[in-house]
Amino acid sequence: MALVTTTKMFEKAFAGGYAIGAFNINNMEIIQAVVEAAQKQNSAVILQVSKSALTYAHPKYLRAMVEAAVAETGLDIALHLDHGPDLETCKLCIENGFTSVMFDGSHYDYEENIVKTKEVVDYAHAHGVVVEAELGKLAGIEDDVQVDAANATFTDPDQALDFVQRTGVDSLAIAIGTSHGAYKFKGEAKLDFDRLESITSKLEAAGIHNYPIVLHGASAVDQNCVAMCNEFGGEIAGAKGIPTEMLRKASSMAVCKINMDTDIRLAMTAAIRKSFAEKPAAFDPRGYLGDARKMIADMIESKITDVIGSTDSMK
Ligand SMILES: [Zn+2]
């Protein structure tokens, strides 16, 4: 029982044809909800923090709460920086006990992304921390990351191989059609599984076996949850996520880490809106935050059992 890196988790996930859920955390209730669900399913889990979440909650608070979660549950938990913008932020997280960092250099040109990623990899590896990088650009908006659809580009398989070889990065986030935020598709949902397959084949052919791929922007945007927000005063129109079957298929392939943030935000908001509407006289935060925690925990548990398949990954 400890805070761990993702290395063993990903080895087991690749071999077992499932993925580990990476859930964005901002406060105590979200952390408790995620680990309660993971504990029920005996599943390893990744708790991740974006730069704006670091600003909101402060790294020391987050680390202390995550360590409490490890002590309380006995689960393998990785504490991960999501979309680290620079070496400085990665260093701050490593100093604060994070076991994994992402450096997102996807907005730089290719060669510059390689140089900057390599710099983070060298520093992190010297401190026993693993690194995720990103190649290709996802559309959408989430926290500090914003890319419009016209500037989104899918990951090139030859570049993916070259990038992994030259940076030594431990896992790679790719763009195959997912996007950040709650509005992922205007028409039919479509993920480029051939591209994912091709990336894995090229890595395998070069002797890089069982290489873990990461899928960002992979919330399902449950329509019941959106409807619940709207029923109780919300105005969330046209939100659309990644269909469950597609996430399950990706998990059975080389995708070992699936990021979900929007689904947590929606569940929390839906539960709080409902609680406010149904109990207008109540004003104890433990009431509505407790409802939110319960709704997030139920949602995460169904992700583990029905979507990513990481049940019993602690075995
Ligand atoms: Zn992301």
Side-chain angles (χ1 to χ4, degrees):
M1 139 181 136
L3 268 185
V4 296
T5 73
T6 52
T7 308
K8 280 261 148 42
M9 286 183 193
F10 289 167
E11 275 171 24
K12 286 165 77 176
F14 198 106
Y18 61 86
I20 301 291
F23 303 101
N24 285 72
I25 55 167
N26 304 300
N27 63 20
M28 183 187 77
E29 283 77 7
I30 296 174
I31 294 171
Q32 289 177 332
V34 174
V35 298
E36 183 196 312
Q39 192 175 26
K40 277 193 186 159
Q41 291 301 320
N42 199 27
S43 172
V45 71
I46 299 166
L47 300 180
Q48 62 183 17
V49 178
S50 65
K51 176 142 196 224
S52 54
L54 281 177
T55 307
Y56 176 81
H58 299 276
K60 285 190 171 58
Y61 281 85
L62 289 164
R63 184 204 178 161
M65 287 193 288
V66 170
E67 281 180 341
V70 171
E72 197 67 28
T73 62
L75 293 174
D76 286 342
I77 297 176
L79 178 55
H80 173 77
L81 168 66
D82 189 25
H83 290 286
D86 46 37
L87 178 61
E88 194 185 304
T89 310
C90 294
K91 278 182 174 171
L92 172 73
C93 287
I94 292 167
E95 280 162 18
N96 279 285
F98 283 49
T99 54
S100 174
V101 293
M102 178 197 189
F103 171 69
D104 179 2
S106 60
H107 51 289
Y108 292 112
D109 72 37
Y110 180 65
E111 289 298 328
E112 202 171 353
N113 190 2
I114 287 184
V115 170
K116 289 190 187 306
T117 299
K118 178 86 173 55
E119 209 178 12
V120 172
V121 168
D122 289 345
Y123 182 86
H125 284 183
H127 292 79
V129 169
V130 291
V131 181
E132 171 188 327
E134 180 165 324
L135 194 60
K137 283 197 191 85
L138 271 69
I141 176 163
E142 197 164 347
D143 284 356
D144 294 335
V145 181
Q146 183 173 0
V147 177
D148 56 38
N151 287 318
T153 43
F154 282 8
T155 307
D156 175 81
D158 289 307
Q159 271 193 351
L161 170 61
D162 184 61
F163 188 88
V164 168
Q165 285 176 322
R166 287 169 65 192
T167 60
V169 75
D170 302 280
S171 61
L172 187 67
I174 60 167
I176 56 166
T178 60
S179 60
H180 290 122
Y183 305 92
K184 299 190 190 298
F185 295 101
K186 290 226 170 66
E188 275 304 289
K190 195 172 177 304
L191 294 188
D192 191 345
F193 288 110
D194 291 343
R195 189 175 294 268
L196 171 59
E197 186 61 56
S198 163
I199 290 168
T200 299
S201 310
K202 287 192 188 284
L203 288 162
E204 289 286 338
I208 302 169
H209 301 299
N210 298 0
Y211 190 82
I213 298 295
V214 179
L215 219 48
H216 280 238
S219 280
V221 187
D222 175 43
Q223 293 303 307
N224 292 327
C225 190
V226 173
M228 190 170 150
C229 285
N230 291 339
E231 185 187 343
F232 296 105
E235 288 179 10
I236 300 169
K240 199 167 180 183
I242 314 290
T244 297
E245 322 75 79
M246 291 188 185
L247 295 172
R248 203 179 297 132
K249 183 172 176 184
S251 306
S252 75
M253 299 169 71
V255 170
C256 293
K257 173 175 180 270
I258 292 199
N259 289 8
M260 290 166 271
D261 185 6
T262 298
D263 282 339
I264 296 175
R265 296 176 179 203
L266 287 170
M268 185 151 203
T269 304
I272 291 176
R273 281 194 175 283
K274 183 167 187 279
S275 187
F276 281 170
E278 290 180 346
K279 290 171 259 181
F283 55 87
D284 181 345
R286 292 169 297 187
Y288 52 85
L289 291 176
D291 289 350
R293 182 170 61 187
K294 172 81 174 66
M295 180 137 169
I296 297 168
D298 291 347
M299 183 271 292
I300 304 268
E301 198 177 349
S302 73
K303 297 279 185 197
I304 292 172
T305 53
D306 302 346
V307 182
I308 57 176
S310 65
T311 299
D312 282 335
S313 53
M314 281 298 296
K315 272 187 187 157

